[in-house]
Amino acid sequence: MNAHCRRGASSLNPQLLRPIFNVVEAEAFRRAGVLQGPRKVASNEGFGNMSRVPSLSSPFLLGFDEIERVLDRVGKATDGYPPYNIERVPRDGNSPERLRITIAIAGFTRDQLEVTIEENQLVIRGRQQDDKSRQYIHRGIAARQFQRTFVLADGMEVSGADLKNGLLSIDLVRLAPERVVRSISIKECD
């Protein structure tokens, strides 16, 4: 049995709960469609050298097992190439408010780029081949491949992508979720 189940809620250590609540807060922002930069998930106070977020096995956190997998995936995507911006684009006329991801990909053509959605992830891949016919005296611009991944909140949709002046811009919109209220019948058992 989980240690949290054996003890009363009043005996929980607030220092141990802080990292869990930070993760729950991050998930709430993700579900609300608010993109955030890196967050401090756990401090080193009382934890020593902690490299992973503690397990989300509290009996009060039901259905959050996916968060740990998403955090692991995001943590592994640490490569800084290519650089990118994320901006909020205000509503314009009848178009809704949207997010725009702009990626600096100088030297790539449209044919060398691939933008896909895999499960709840936006994946941008670029593939360049070395031109063997060229003889370089100095090579400071390497032909390289990249993959940049963004985890999308539920309801986020890609509305379009443009390539202009070495910048790939991808627009995202959040579709208004359908509000469903469902009544649960309670059976009386003896």
Side-chain angles (χ1 to χ4, degrees):
M1 181 185 241
N2 189 327
H4 293 292
C5 293
R6 286 192 299 259
R7 294 185 293 184
S10 63
S11 67
L12 292 175
N13 182 343
Q15 269 191 312
L16 295 175
L17 288 177
R18 185 178 304 124
I20 294 172
F21 289 132
N22 284 343
V23 170
V24 171
E25 179 185 84
E27 172 62 9
F29 278 107
R30 183 188 75 80
R31 289 197 181 271
V34 177
L35 297 178
Q36 294 184 318
R39 290 185 51 84
K40 181 178 177 182
V41 176
S43 68
N44 287 337
E45 301 167 11
F47 290 105
N49 289 332
M50 185 173 176
S51 61
R52 282 185 46 91
V53 175
S55 175
L56 300 175
S57 61
S58 168
F60 303 112
L61 301 172
L62 302 176
F64 287 96
D65 51 335
E66 180 67 19
I67 296 172
E68 201 163 7
R69 287 191 292 273
V70 169
L71 289 173
D72 283 343
R73 256 191 320 220
V74 170
K76 291 176 185 174
T78 58
D79 183 18
Y81 180 79
Y84 65 93
N85 292 335
I86 300 176
E87 64 183 300
R88 186 176 309 276
V89 179
R91 179 172 263 256
D92 180 26
N94 61 354
S95 67
E97 180 181 78
R98 59 194 184 278
L99 298 176
R100 177 173 291 148
I101 300 171
T102 304
I103 304 173
I105 50 167
F108 284 85
T109 65
R110 191 175 62 125
D111 296 337
Q112 296 169 329
L113 297 170
E114 178 183 35
V115 179
T116 59
I117 295 181
E118 301 170 11
E119 295 181 19
N120 64 335
Q121 296 182 94
L122 172 64
V123 181
I124 300 104
R125 292 182 181 94
R127 294 181 180 88
Q128 286 182 327
Q129 300 293 326
D130 276 332
D131 186 355
K132 304 294 183 193
S133 65
R134 291 184 168 183
Q135 294 182 336
Y136 293 98
I137 296 171
H138 170 75
R139 179 105 190 241
I141 303 171
R144 63 192 288 189
Q145 298 182 13
F146 73 86
Q147 177 173 312
R148 175 68 69 185
T149 304
F150 298 91
V151 178
L152 301 178
D154 294 336
M156 294 296 291
E157 299 260 336
V158 175
S159 64
D162 298 314
L163 178 62
K164 183 178 180 182
N165 298 329
L167 297 173
L168 174 65
S169 296
I170 301 168
D171 286 347
L172 302 158
V173 295
R174 173 180 287 284
L175 301 177
E178 181 180 317
R179 302 286 181 199
V180 177
V181 176
R182 191 173 60 138
S183 180
I184 309 298
S185 64
I186 302 172
K187 297 179 187 176
E188 189 168 331
C189 299
D190 289 329

